[in-house]
Amino acid sequence: MSIEEKINFYKNSLDFFEEKLEKYKFLLEQGKKSKPFPEEFRKENFKVKGCQSQVWLVPRFENNILDFYCDSDAFISKGMVTILTDIYGKNSPKEILDSNFELLKVLDLDNLLTQGRRNGMYSMLKKVKEYAEVFKK
């Protein structure tokens, strides 16, 4: 699936729920689906600055494809970082950088998350972009 198709998948998934609590539960469930996080990456240099909780985002670059390990010590943050890495992971750095990051707004997380969580989500997104910049050719 393309980045845009993944964003639309999550939009449709979140739109399915009418209540905020159900949407929160969906975010929590996404965190439970994340790949196991290697303990050797639980280091300060992989932490995302600007998050209320501790969030780790680790790039994996192989065959011109950028993917990520991610984790958080808070369930909502773990769900959000899992969604972001699912959307942007397994793509080339160029595909990531060429994508329309404004499309994420269709997920309407600004109305679901507190200001602190929104700031954290944007910090995670910024880190994804930074890693794509580092690995672009």
Side-chain angles (χ1 to χ4, degrees), residues 78-118:
K78 186 168 183 167
M80 291 184 324
V81 75
T82 300
I83 288 171
L84 286 177
T85 57
D86 182 48
I87 289 171
Y88 293 103
K90 296 186 177 127
N91 286 288
S92 73
K94 181 178 180 354
E95 289 169 318
I96 294 169
L97 293 170
D98 287 349
S99 68
N100 180 358
F101 288 96
E102 292 297 311
L103 279 178
L104 272 182
K105 290 185 178 180
V106 303
L107 298 182
D108 204 24
L109 293 176
D110 285 354
N111 290 323
L112 180 63
L113 303 172
T114 63
Q115 180 66 43
R117 296 276 184 227
R118 285 193 304 264

Side-chain angles (χ1 to χ4, degrees), residues 23-111:
K23 293 180 185 207
Y24 272 112
K25 287 180 182 177
F26 176 79
L27 288 177
L28 295 172
E29 286 301 314
Q30 299 318 297
K32 292 177 183 176
K33 295 177 183 178
S34 70
K35 299 173 247 177
F37 188 78
E39 286 302 313
E40 66 265 20
F41 294 138
R42 203 172 299 281
K43 297 179 181 174
E44 196 66 32
N45 59 315
F46 291 123
K47 276 189 187 177
V48 178
K49 307 287 188 251
C51 293
Q52 287 181 323
S53 53
Q54 296 185 89
V55 176
W56 293 270
L57 187 58
V58 182
R60 295 185 303 165
F61 188 67
E62 189 175 310
N63 299 322
N64 198 38
I65 296 296
L66 183 57
D67 201 11
F68 304 93
Y69 288 113
C70 65
D71 198 14
S72 177
D73 64 351
F75 294 119
I76 290 288
S77 296
K78 186 168 183 167
M80 291 184 324
V81 75
T82 300
I83 288 171
L84 286 177
T85 57
D86 182 48
I87 289 171
Y88 293 103
K90 296 186 177 127
N91 286 288
S92 73
K94 181 178 180 354
E95 289 169 318
I96 294 169
L97 293 170
D98 287 349
S99 68
N100 180 358
F101 288 96
E102 292 297 311
L103 279 178
L104 272 182
K105 290 185 178 180
V106 303
L107 298 182
D108 204 24
L109 293 176
D110 285 354
N111 290 323

